[in-house]
Amino acid sequence: MLMNILVTINSNYIKPLKVMLKSLFLNNPEEKFIVYLLHSSLTTEELDELKQYIAGQGHELKVVTIDDNYFRDAPVLLHYSKEMYYRLLAFKFLPLELDRILYLDPDILVINPIRELYNQNMEGYLFAAAYHDLLTVREINKLRLKPYEIDAYYNSGVLLKNLELQRQTIDEQEIFEFVDRNKVKLLLPDQDIINALYAKQIKNLDEKLYNYDTRHYSYYKLTSNGLWDMDYVIRNTVILHFCGKKKPWLKGYSGWFHSLYKHYEKLAI
Amino acid sequence: MLMNILVTINSNYIKPLKVMLKSLFLNNPEEKFIVYLLHSSLTTEELDELKQYIAGQGHELKVVTIDDNYFRDAPVLLHYSKEMYYRLLAFKFLPLELDRILYLDPDILVINPIRELYNQNMEGYLFAAAYHDLLTVREINKLRLKPYEIDAYYNSGVLLKNLELQRQTIDEQEIFEFVDRNKVKLLLPDQDIINALYAKQIKNLDEKLYNYDTRHYSYYKLTSNGLWDMDYVIRNTVILHFCGKKKPWLKGYSGWFHSLYKHYEKLAI
């Protein structure tokens, strides 16, 4: 089956992107992937190398270079570049014939087949995503974005997009106005925007299957009465997400899935 | 290259054996392995299934069934069956044309090429093995086997055997007498025998490369000034050994290489 994957990175994430893609390809040997890369800063050499890397494994990279001028008048935030809009407004830059695409963060391993995720029925939904169900995190974010009445705080690291519906529904001016109004409060801007403006049109995915926060192994295991042990995770979880500031490709990391990450990194690079 | 691998298991270890072999085959795609299985209790069905499993991956299983009567007069120990002798006296049951063989415990993952290990110059050595260099362990075992003046306490989980020299040198009566004399003191009988009787003829292997005790990740990292971090282990260590009573295929295990083990287990079974 042909599947569209969306990634948006700068040069710092080329290496983890390769690891993520390697795990995706290896664990989905029957699929053919077209990887759309939205960017504004990668060099021709970097893009060529990435193209070859992906082609060498039987898949295809399509590069969409975004002109700096496009977001000239969009509001910016102190610690975030305009790239924060790429993930939200990708539908504006992708071919019209695409009806859906799966956005994936680069700090991810795909360890099982993604076909079921990709083929979700998306009727009436703009996105499918998972929220991380740690009580504290949920409550804090609900308070922070209170006027927007969110039920859950979805994580935008794995985001299946209904591009057809997004083209009809999402208004970039509304997004820019939201950012302007909430500048001070936004912590993770694109994630906050999705949660505040579109929560009602997000289809809820099981986080333990599709957006497994690798920091929470013990919590998941405990709250499932032991069902989600390591064996179960490795056989069932589709997407491991290395959330948080400490990343497994950096020195000093330690975590439950460290050895597995390094295994894929060795295969990838 | 053709390499001989020796394993000696009973029914309880078929599953981990498959995982070990899967990791060996996957990470040594250019080699052809002949796996010799010494046993006395596996059923025909179990052996056939194992044969198919190995043949399906392009390698070969040769079964050597050991007659219970062979060790009729050998001394036994309370908690150990006569299978403890298989590892030591394998040379008696293997074809005369074999000059060397690599014995591997089933609680192992082989995560990098083993050719360099296998091709060690073994002139004058009966075995090549690694010892686990935790000070306490070493001292305790030196005291315990004091009359035999051992310098180190080698781990017998990974054992390269010089079969030619063993046929000329190793006397099974000497082994039986040693067991008789030391019954009370023997903790890990085959390992104790090798250490007490043959220490001077064991070639020392680097444990971090060839017999990495997965419980000691932090110790190895610390004592190498950080060199042996997870990245370095995954790229350099050849054999991970899941030593100790807690095994990664059993419920309740946790450890640095748990996710990696479960990954190989999924591929294997």
Side-chain angles (χ1 to χ4, degrees):
Chain A
M1 212 184 93
L2 204 72
M3 294 191 204
N4 307 311
I5 302 293
L6 174 63
V7 296
T8 67
I9 61 157
N10 60 36
S11 305
N12 295 328
Y13 285 88
I14 292 176
K15 202 175 120 177
L17 175 67
K18 282 181 171 176
V19 179
M20 186 273 273
L21 291 174
K22 173 61 88 176
S23 70
L24 172 69
F25 299 158
L26 278 175
N27 292 306
N28 289 270
E30 286 163 26
E31 319 295 352
K32 159 116 171 114
F33 294 103
I34 303 184
V35 180
Y36 290 85
L37 167 61
L38 261 62
H39 83 108
S40 59
S41 62
L42 296 184
T43 66
T44 315
E45 290 71 41
E46 288 169 336
L47 293 169
D48 284 349
E49 209 269 318
L50 211 48
K51 232 174 222 174
Q52 280 191 340
Y53 179 81
I54 292 171
Q57 294 171 74
H59 305 281
E60 195 181 337
L61 179 70
K62 294 199 179 179
V63 176
V64 182
T65 306
I66 296 185
D67 188 332
D68 271 347
N69 282 319
Y70 187 90
F71 291 108
R72 196 181 38 209
D73 302 325
V76 284
L77 294 166
L78 200 55
H79 296 297
Y80 289 88
S81 68
K82 293 190 174 176
E83 285 163 20
M84 73 186 198
Y85 292 115
Y86 296 179
R87 204 176 342 188
L88 282 165
L89 296 172
F91 68 91
K92 294 210 162 255
F93 306 100
L94 293 169
L96 273 170
E97 67 269 22
L98 299 194
D99 63 337
R100 69 174 58 193
I101 199 163
L102 177 62
Y103 170 82
L104 295 174
D105 265 355
D107 55 352
I108 269 175
L109 287 179
V110 180
I111 63 169
N112 274 303
I114 63 159
R115 194 186 288 206
E116 226 178 289
L117 167 62
Y118 193 88
N119 287 342
Q120 297 280 323
N121 180 356
M122 289 291 282
E123 219 183 301
Y125 292 109
L126 288 171
F127 302 97
Y131 57 89
H132 291 154
D133 195 23
L134 274 183
L135 267 172
T136 48
V137 175
R138 195 170 48 186
E139 294 309 313
I140 287 166
N141 284 314
K142 276 173 74 172
L143 282 176
R144 198 165 55 82
L145 300 173
K146 207 172 184 191
Y148 297 92
E149 276 185 59
I150 61 168
D151 299 318
Y153 185 74
Y154 288 96
N155 178 284
S156 64
V158 177
L159 213 49
L160 184 62
K161 292 161 172 263
N162 182 342
L163 294 174
E164 260 180 331
L165 193 58
Q166 292 190 358
R167 288 185 198 103
Q168 298 159 26
T169 315
I170 294 183
D171 174 6
E172 70 179 5
Q173 283 313 316
E174 189 187 5
I175 291 177
F176 296 160
E177 280 161 27
F178 172 83
V179 174
D180 250 345
R181 255 194 329 272
N182 294 281
K183 271 186 174 176
V184 192
K185 286 201 282 188
L186 298 183
L187 286 180
L188 303 162
D190 53 348
Q191 197 158 292
D192 281 353
I193 295 166
I194 288 169
N195 277 285
L197 298 182
Y198 309 113
K200 306 281 176 210
Q201 286 151 286
I202 300 175
K203 185 173 179 177
N204 185 20
L205 301 175
D206 183 343
E207 64 170 317
K208 296 201 284 302
L209 287 175
Y210 297 122
N211 197 335
Y212 184 106
D213 187 329
T214 53
R215 296 169 302 180
H216 300 157
Y217 173 71
S218 301
Y219 177 82
Y220 293 141
K221 194 174 156 197
L222 194 75
T223 53
S224 66
N225 290 316
L227 176 65
W228 285 80
D229 64 3
M230 189 57 80
D231 189 65
Y232 201 86
V233 173
I234 295 293
R235 289 181 189 273
N236 291 280
T237 292
V238 178
I239 295 176
L240 292 175
H241 192 177
F242 292 81
C243 300
K245 277 191 187 158
K246 292 189 174 176
K247 297 300 185 193
W249 57 87
L250 300 176
K251 283 271 169 197
Y253 180 85
S254 86
W256 297 98
F257 299 90
H258 196 190
S259 59
L260 186 65
Y261 189 87
K262 286 294 171 185
H263 167 75
Y264 279 107
E265 192 179 275
K266 184 179 78 172
L267 295 177
I269 299 163
Chain B
M1 210 183 96
L2 204 72
M3 295 190 204
N4 306 311
I5 302 293
L6 173 65
V7 296
T8 68
I9 62 159
N10 60 35
S11 304
N12 296 327
Y13 285 88
I14 292 177
K15 203 175 120 178
L17 176 67
K18 282 180 171 177
V19 179
M20 185 274 274
L21 291 175
K22 171 63 87 175
S23 69
L24 172 69
F25 298 159
L26 278 176
N27 292 306
N28 289 271
E30 286 162 28
E31 319 295 353
K32 161 118 171 110
F33 294 102
I34 302 184
V35 180
Y36 290 84
L37 167 62
L38 261 64
H39 83 107
S40 58
S41 63
L42 295 184
T43 67
T44 315
E45 290 73 37
E46 287 170 335
L47 292 170
D48 284 348
E49 210 269 318
L50 210 49
K51 232 173 222 175
Q52 279 190 340
Y53 180 82
I54 291 170
Q57 293 171 75
H59 306 281
E60 196 181 340
L61 180 71
K62 295 200 176 179
V63 176
V64 182
T65 306
I66 296 185
D67 189 332
D68 270 348
N69 283 321
Y70 187 90
F71 290 108
R72 198 180 38 213
D73 301 325
V76 284
L77 293 166
L78 201 53
H79 297 295
Y80 289 88
S81 70
K82 294 189 175 175
E83 286 164 19
M84 74 186 200
Y85 293 115
Y86 296 0
R87 203 174 347 187
L88 282 166
L89 296 172
F91 69 91
K92 294 209 162 258
F93 306 99
L94 292 169
L96 273 172
E97 67 268 22
L98 299 194
D99 63 337
R100 68 174 60 192
I101 198 164
L102 177 62
Y103 169 83
L104 294 174
D105 265 356
D107 56 352
I108 269 175
L109 287 179
V110 180
I111 62 169
N112 275 303
I114 63 159
R115 192 186 288 207
E116 225 179 290
L117 167 62
Y118 193 89
N119 286 342
Q120 297 281 324
N121 179 356
M122 291 290 284
E123 217 183 302
Y125 292 109
L126 288 170
F127 302 96
Y131 57 89
H132 290 155
D133 193 23
L134 274 183
L135 266 171
T136 49
V137 176
R138 194 170 49 186
E139 293 309 315
I140 288 167
N141 284 315
K142 275 174 75 171
L143 281 174
R144 197 166 55 81
L145 300 174
K146 206 170 180 192
Y148 297 92
E149 274 187 59
I150 61 170
D151 298 318
Y153 185 73
Y154 288 96
N155 178 286
S156 64
V158 176
L159 214 48
L160 183 64
K161 292 161 171 265
N162 182 343
L163 294 173
E164 261 182 329
L165 193 58
Q166 291 189 1
R167 288 186 198 101
Q168 299 161 24
T169 317
I170 294 182
D171 174 7
E172 69 180 5
Q173 285 313 318
E174 187 187 9
I175 291 176
F176 296 159
E177 281 161 26
F178 172 83
V179 173
D180 251 345
R181 252 195 328 272
N182 294 280
K183 271 186 173 172
V184 193
K185 286 200 282 187
L186 297 184
L187 286 181
L188 301 162
D190 53 348
Q191 196 158 292
D192 281 353
I193 296 165
I194 288 170
N195 276 286
L197 297 183
Y198 309 113
K200 308 276 177 216
Q201 285 150 288
I202 301 176
K203 183 171 180 179
N204 185 20
L205 301 175
D206 182 342
E207 64 169 318
K208 293 199 288 303
L209 286 176
Y210 298 122
N211 198 335
Y212 184 106
D213 186 330
T214 54
R215 298 170 301 180
H216 300 160
Y217 173 70
S218 300
Y219 177 82
Y220 292 142
K221 195 174 154 195
L222 193 74
T223 52
S224 66
N225 290 318
L227 176 67
W228 285 80
D229 63 4
M230 188 57 80
D231 189 67
Y232 200 86
V233 173
I234 295 293
R235 290 181 188 273
N236 291 281
T237 291
V238 177
I239 296 176
L240 292 176
H241 192 178
F242 292 81
C243 299
K245 276 191 186 157
K246 293 190 173 174
K247 296 301 186 191
W249 57 87
L250 300 176
K251 284 270 170 196
Y253 179 84
S254 85
W256 296 98
F257 298 90
H258 196 191
S259 59
L260 186 66
Y261 189 86
K262 286 293 169 183
H263 166 76
Y264 279 107
E265 193 179 275
K266 185 179 78 171
L267 295 177
I269 299 164

